[in-house]
Amino acid sequence: MYYPREEKRDFLSTLSTLSLIAIVPLAILALMSNHGATALFMLLGSQQAQASITEIQNTPNPDLNIITYRYDVDGTSFTDTYTQNKQHDPSAYAINDTIPVIHSTWSPSTKMMQAAYDTSDADAKVFVGCSTAILLLLALSFFALIRQRKHAAEDIYY
C-alpha cells in the first residue's frame, strides 16, 4: 500500500546519507591539494623575505634537492628545509645564496618558497571549492536530519 509519508521519510534519510557520503571524496580531494590551505592562508596576508641557504643535499633522484635555509622576521630566526623539484624550480642554488620566501604576516613560521607560491593558485582554488562544498553538504545533511525529526514528530497525528 502506497504511503506518501513513508516516501517522504525515505527521501529525507537518503538525502542525508548521500550528502554525508559525498563529503568523503571531497575531503580526500581537499587533502590532495598539496599546498592549498597554506596558499589560501598566504592570500589573506603575506610578505616576502630573503632566506639564506645553509645546506644543500643531493638525492638519488637528479631532479630533487633538499635545501636547508634560514630567514629572519622581526628579530626571530626560522630554519626549515625545501625540497626543490627542478622541473618546477630549475634554479641552481649554492650555499650562502639567497632564496625568496613568502611568509604569513599573521604567523611568520607559516611560509612557502616563491616558486611553490607561484604555482599554488590552482591548489588554493581546489581547496576552497572542496571546503565550500563540504560545508554545504553538511548543512544539507543537517537540514534533512531536522526535517526527519519534525516528520517523525508529526507521525503521532497520523
Side-chain angles (χ1 to χ4, degrees), residues 78-145:
F78 297 97
T79 303
D80 203 4
T81 59
Y82 165 55
T83 304
Q84 177 192 18
N85 186 343
K86 291 184 180 177
Q87 294 174 349
H88 299 292
D89 184 10
S91 303
Y93 296 114
I95 295 177
N96 293 329
D97 280 352
T98 58
I99 184 169
V101 176
I102 305 294
H103 66 87
S104 172
T105 54
W106 295 344
S107 173
S109 63
T110 305
K111 77 281 177 210
M112 292 178 78
M113 291 291 116
Q114 180 72 45
Y117 182 74
D118 292 340
T119 60
S120 64
D121 198 29
D123 291 340
K125 290 177 183 176
V126 167
F127 185 79
V128 166
C130 289
S131 299
T132 304
I134 287 171
L135 291 175
L136 289 174
L137 286 171
L138 280 174
L140 180 66
S141 178
F142 184 72
F143 172 75
L145 289 173

Side-chain angles (χ1 to χ4, degrees), residues 51-58 65-70 84 91-99:
S52 176
I53 297 175
T54 58
E55 182 183 356
I56 298 176
Q57 297 175 2
N58 293 325
N65 284 335
I66 298 174
I67 298 173
T68 304
Y69 61 92
R70 183 182 56 77
Q84 177 192 18
S91 303
Y93 296 114
I95 295 177
N96 293 329
D97 280 352
T98 58
I99 184 169

Side-chain angles (χ1 to χ4, degrees), residues 15 20 158:
L15 180 65
L20 288 175
Y158 289 97

